Amino acid sequence: MRQNQLKQKIKQGETVLGLFMNCPYPAFIEICGHAGFDFAVIDMEHGPLHPLAAEDLCRAADCSGIAPIVRVSKNDGPQIQRALDIGSAGVQVPQIESKIDAETAVQSAKYSPLGTRGLSFATRAGLYTAAGTNITDKLNEESLVVIHVEGKGGIDNLAEIVTVPEVDVIFLGPYDLSQSIGIPGQVRDPRVIDMMQEAVQTIRKAGKAAGTFAENPEIAQQWIDAGVQYVALGVDVAVFLRACQSLVKAVDRF
């Protein structure tokens, strides 16, 4: 059972770069690994992916050394368990609004004594029983738990949320944050930026890693400079669209 290199990089204070994956074609996530990304978030909240496709994406990610992280659709024990059972490097849990929400996510992601994750070794995470039965402590140690704080309620309760043990990254969702204060989609509005910058400082002071989404390298660099360590730089389908648009615009057809 391999060490979770992504988790080690975060613990060592390194900045890690990833992107969200909506496309079920395994080659896409494999290519992202060869391109140099540290992680890819397999999106089962907003994307069309189902568990079988997500498991194949985890396999493809392992081929090129990129860490597959599964974003579930809600803070739900069976979903979190399945996201980890398919052999991902970690789970991202959306819409965390309180300390209790964060504790619930951790409980679902960790085996006893840290949590209540259902136990089966006949999974990809358990190497289909080939790893034996003395692996729960190792799986607890290696699994990465990322929680999304993406509403005003979560921001208001952030000082309590950051105290929850076993949370590795607190991911600030700019789009949902903008919506929660009545300006949906205006992620570059000073009100959103100020809120996020204050949140980053709270997260860092608590010894946690802060994460966020950036649409382009310039915004990514701004958040890295502000102390964000876990940066999702775009979405696979949007990256492909921009590349296609660039190609089309580069050719003079008239």
Side-chain angles (χ1 to χ4, degrees):
M1 192 169 297
R2 286 180 289 183
Q3 185 182 58
N4 188 336
Q5 294 297 321
L6 178 67
K7 188 167 184 175
Q8 289 303 309
K9 288 178 181 179
I10 292 170
K11 281 185 174 181
Q12 292 164 9
E14 297 181 34
T15 299
V16 293
L17 195 64
L19 77 171
F20 282 91
M21 303 296 299
N22 285 356
C23 180
Y25 184 42
F28 273 30
I29 196 168
E30 189 178 11
I31 289 166
C32 290
H34 290 308
F37 282 103
D38 300 290
F39 69 93
V41 182
I42 298 167
D43 196 352
M44 297 182 69
E45 181 186 13
H46 291 297
L49 299 172
H50 56 78
L52 282 174
E55 186 175 55
D56 281 343
L57 291 177
C58 288
R59 290 190 179 97
D62 288 344
C63 291
S64 62
I66 188 172
I69 307 295
V70 177
R71 176 162 75 168
V72 295
S73 66
K74 61 180 179 178
N75 191 2
D76 174 73
Q79 286 195 39
I80 292 170
Q81 174 182 304
R82 178 172 285 178
L84 293 167
D85 280 352
I86 63 176
S88 68
V91 62
Q92 285 196 201
V93 184
Q95 300 296 341
I96 299 298
E97 294 282 310
S98 67
K99 181 179 180 181
I100 292 175
D101 287 347
E103 290 172 338
T104 298
V106 169
Q107 284 280 309
S108 299
K110 301 294 183 179
Y111 296 111
S112 178
L114 301 178
T116 57
R117 176 179 167 185
L119 183 57
S120 172
F121 300 112
T123 62
R124 185 167 184 268
L127 304 183
Y128 310 105
T129 72
T133 59
N134 296 319
I135 61 170
T136 55
D137 287 346
K138 180 65 172 175
L139 289 172
N140 277 348
E141 179 184 343
E142 298 298 337
S143 61
L144 189 77
V145 177
V146 183
I147 60 171
H148 283 232
V149 171
E150 45 194 346
K152 189 174 184 305
I155 293 293
D156 291 342
N157 293 322
L158 187 59
E160 292 186 349
I161 291 171
V162 297
T163 67
V164 177
E166 305 301 331
V167 170
D168 300 293
V169 180
I170 298 177
F171 189 96
L172 303 170
Y175 279 92
D176 281 320
L177 281 173
S178 72
Q179 180 166 251
S180 75
I181 61 173
I183 50 172
Q186 298 181 45
V187 297
R188 303 307 293 165
D189 186 283
R191 288 167 288 179
V192 176
I193 293 173
D194 290 347
M195 183 190 304
M196 290 179 60
Q197 287 177 334
E198 290 180 15
V200 170
Q201 294 306 310
T202 300
I203 294 165
R204 286 175 57 86
K205 286 178 182 177
K208 307 283 190 186
T212 196
F213 173 82
E215 290 189 40
N216 58 56
E218 292 74 25
I219 294 174
Q221 191 61 58
Q222 289 171 10
W223 284 120
I224 291 169
D225 292 342
V228 173
Q229 192 179 343
Y230 179 98
V231 181
L233 178 56
V235 183
D236 58 352
V237 290
V239 170
F240 184 61
L241 171 66
R242 302 289 180 267
C244 289
Q245 289 175 327
S246 178
L247 289 173
V248 170
K249 290 176 181 178
V251 177
D252 184 358
R253 295 182 289 176
F254 302 100

